[in-house]
């Protein structure tokens, strides 16, 4: 069990408050194995359960216990061990048909039911409209995000442990990066270090090449690793992104191989000092916008352009 009973109960109360304030007969959260712009994380936030393939659905009711629907017996048993949801069921031929049947079993034939419409497949929506024509399907994701973004100290502790995995991955990369080593080999060492310390997933991007200052076409842009071998004078860019107990964190680092690159060193110094300017804005009452504007002003004063992306607010999804 990753989360304490106190944390789980706090989340359950907050989600049930949405059912109350929105006058919902039920709310169902769709989970998937992907990462995205925050909408993939609602299911994991509530169930504390990792999905290893396809989808899962948890249906939450105002006055009765929630039900989790899993697509295989392995995942059903895993959910029973991991999740606070105690009624975990194996689906039949159709996940959405089982959701509709569950709602009917609970006497829900009309009224409002909450769902994340961005996660709801069109085929599922058409089925629900035909099967339950008197039900109004209500978007509830924004309300859940307001809960998710109020981080608890327990969540902060999980993120700190995840950050340590990122540091370990970078240290492992430094030990292996040298001429003749491939991007795949570097990525493997990054992920080995995190996996050995409890990382459950990885989103590792890497790029390498001869960077020439002033030529954007030579800038290595991190993507999936390749068999390209590192050469002397290369710059290696790494997005080191482990997931620990459901929470992603990211460390982005660039190194030179074999000899210095004065142009890259100059840009690195500006980036480093810009981050320091941004950190000065991390105070109660400040906004993310204030952080970005402080960084942007410093970069422009140094004679550089400031272009997105500028970073991630990591959590149950990479971009929250």
């Amino acid at each position: 069990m990753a989360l304490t009973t106190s944390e789980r109960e706090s989340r359950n109360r907050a989600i049930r408050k949405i059912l109350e304030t929105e006058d919902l007969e039920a709310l169902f959260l769709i989970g998937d194995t992907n990462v995205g712009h925050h909408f993939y994380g609602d299911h994991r936030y509530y169930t504390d359960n990792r999905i290893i393939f396809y989808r899962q659905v948890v249906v939450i009711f105002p006055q009765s216990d929630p039900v989790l629907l899993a697509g295989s017996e392995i995942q059903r048993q895993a959910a029973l061990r991991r999740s606070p949801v105690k009624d975990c069921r194996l689906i039949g031929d159709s996940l959405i048909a089982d959701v509709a049947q569950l709602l009917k079993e609970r006497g829900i034939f009309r009224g409002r039911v909450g769902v994340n419409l961005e996660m709801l497949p069109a085929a599922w929506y058409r089925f629900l409209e035909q099967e339950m024509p008197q039900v109004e399907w209500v978007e509830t994701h924004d309300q859940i995000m307001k809960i998710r973004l109020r981080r608890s100290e327990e969540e902060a502790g999980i993120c700190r442990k995840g950050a340590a995995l990122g540091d370990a991955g970078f240290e492992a990369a430094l030990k292996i990066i040298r001429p003749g080593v491939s991007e795949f080999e570097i990525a493997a060492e990054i992920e080995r270090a995190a996996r050995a310390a409890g990382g459950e997933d990885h989103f590792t991007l890497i790029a390498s090449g001869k960077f020439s200052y002033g030529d954007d076409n030579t800038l290595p842009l991190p993507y999936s690793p390749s068999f390209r071998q590192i050469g002397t004078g290369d710059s290696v860019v790494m997005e080191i992104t482990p997931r620990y107990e459901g929470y992603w964190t990211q460390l982005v680092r660039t190194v030179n191989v074999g000899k210095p690159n004065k142009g890259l060193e100059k840009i690195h110094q500006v980036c480093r000092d810009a981050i320091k300017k941004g950190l000065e804005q991390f105070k109660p009452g400040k906004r993310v916008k204030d952080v970005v504007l402080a960084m942007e002003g410093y970069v422009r004063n140094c004679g550089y352009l400031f272009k997105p992306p500028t970073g991630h607010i990591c959590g149950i999804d990479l971009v929250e």
Side-chain angles (χ1 to χ4, degrees):
M1 181 175 76
L3 301 177
T4 64
T5 299
S6 174
E7 176 71 16
R8 289 176 167 185
E9 289 176 349
S10 174
R11 295 183 181 193
N12 186 49
R13 287 193 300 270
I15 296 294
R16 289 182 178 275
K17 187 68 174 179
I18 294 175
L19 277 86
E20 178 184 339
T21 57
E22 295 295 322
D23 192 26
L24 301 177
E25 301 296 326
L27 184 157
F28 74 91
L29 306 177
I30 304 167
D32 209 317
T33 57
N34 295 310
V35 298
H37 281 60
H38 63 66
F39 52 83
Y40 283 106
D42 290 348
H43 181 278
R44 179 78 189 244
Y45 180 82
Y46 183 78
T47 65
D48 192 26
N49 182 53
R50 180 187 179 196
I51 300 173
I52 58 174
F53 61 88
Y54 193 52
R55 302 186 183 106
Q56 287 182 8
V57 168
V58 61
V59 187
I60 308 162
F61 303 96
Q63 303 298 332
S64 57
D65 293 336
V67 177
L68 187 149
L69 300 170
S72 73
E73 181 60 20
I74 291 173
Q75 292 210 99
R76 189 193 73 83
Q77 290 187 28
L80 275 174
R81 292 193 296 269
R82 169 91 187 196
S83 173
V85 179
K86 298 309 176 188
D87 189 348
C88 299
R89 305 180 185 182
L90 181 65
I91 66 169
D93 295 330
S94 168
L95 179 51
I96 192 58
D98 284 6
V99 170
Q101 181 60 37
L102 175 62
L103 294 173
K104 293 176 183 178
E105 289 175 4
R106 298 296 176 95
I108 300 171
F109 296 93
R110 59 182 56 83
R112 292 158 56 87
V113 174
V115 68
N116 181 345
L117 293 173
E118 188 156 9
M119 284 289 290
L120 185 67
W124 286 20
Y125 185 65
R126 290 184 63 185
F127 177 87
L128 291 171
E129 280 195 314
Q130 294 172 1
E131 195 74 13
M132 309 182 75
Q134 292 183 288
V135 169
E136 177 187 0
W137 307 99
V138 180
E139 176 62 73
T140 51
H141 173 65
D142 287 347
Q143 293 95 314
I144 295 174
M145 276 307 302
K146 290 177 182 178
I147 298 169
R148 284 170 53 186
L149 290 175
R150 293 198 295 267
R151 303 283 193 229
S152 69
E153 181 55 37
E154 186 167 327
E155 288 177 283
I158 293 173
C159 291
R160 291 186 188 100
K161 292 178 180 178
L165 302 191
D167 290 338
F170 180 53
E171 292 299 323
L174 292 179
K175 292 177 182 178
I176 193 175
I177 292 176
R178 61 183 179 273
V181 170
S182 74
E183 293 177 353
F184 272 123
E185 291 175 285
I186 297 169
E189 285 302 298
I190 289 171
E191 296 186 3
R192 181 204 59 77
R195 179 71 77 179
E200 65 181 39
D201 279 312
H202 309 272
F203 190 81
T204 305
L205 304 182
I206 188 171
S208 58
K210 299 288 191 297
F211 171 67
S212 177
Y213 178 68
D215 185 357
D216 287 347
N217 293 324
T218 65
L219 180 65
L221 296 176
Y223 199 65
S224 298
S226 72
F227 284 109
R228 184 187 185 280
Q229 292 188 341
I230 307 303
T232 299
D234 275 358
S235 300
V236 182
V237 183
M238 297 165 284
E239 287 195 11
I240 301 168
T241 316
R243 182 164 72 167
Y244 179 78
E245 294 293 0
Y247 284 78
W248 297 95
T249 189
Q250 185 172 88
L251 181 69
V252 180
R253 290 291 183 268
T254 302
V255 299
N256 284 329
V257 182
K259 61 182 181 181
N261 183 318
K262 296 299 183 181
L264 189 61
E265 287 179 6
K266 186 177 181 181
I267 292 176
H268 175 267
Q269 182 176 350
V270 173
C271 291
R272 181 198 63 195
D273 292 341
I275 290 171
K276 291 180 179 178
K277 291 293 183 182
L279 289 173
E280 293 174 1
Q281 300 299 315
F282 274 82
K283 302 173 184 178
K286 292 289 187 176
R287 302 165 297 173
V288 172
K289 180 179 179 179
D290 299 316
V291 177
V292 175
L293 288 175
M295 296 171 65
E296 180 181 28
Y298 180 82
V299 170
R300 291 190 183 277
N301 286 338
C302 292
Y304 292 84
L305 294 176
F306 186 86
K307 298 189 294 185
T310 54
H312 298 317
I313 302 174
C314 295
I316 299 180
D317 273 313
L318 280 182
V319 184
E320 295 208 331

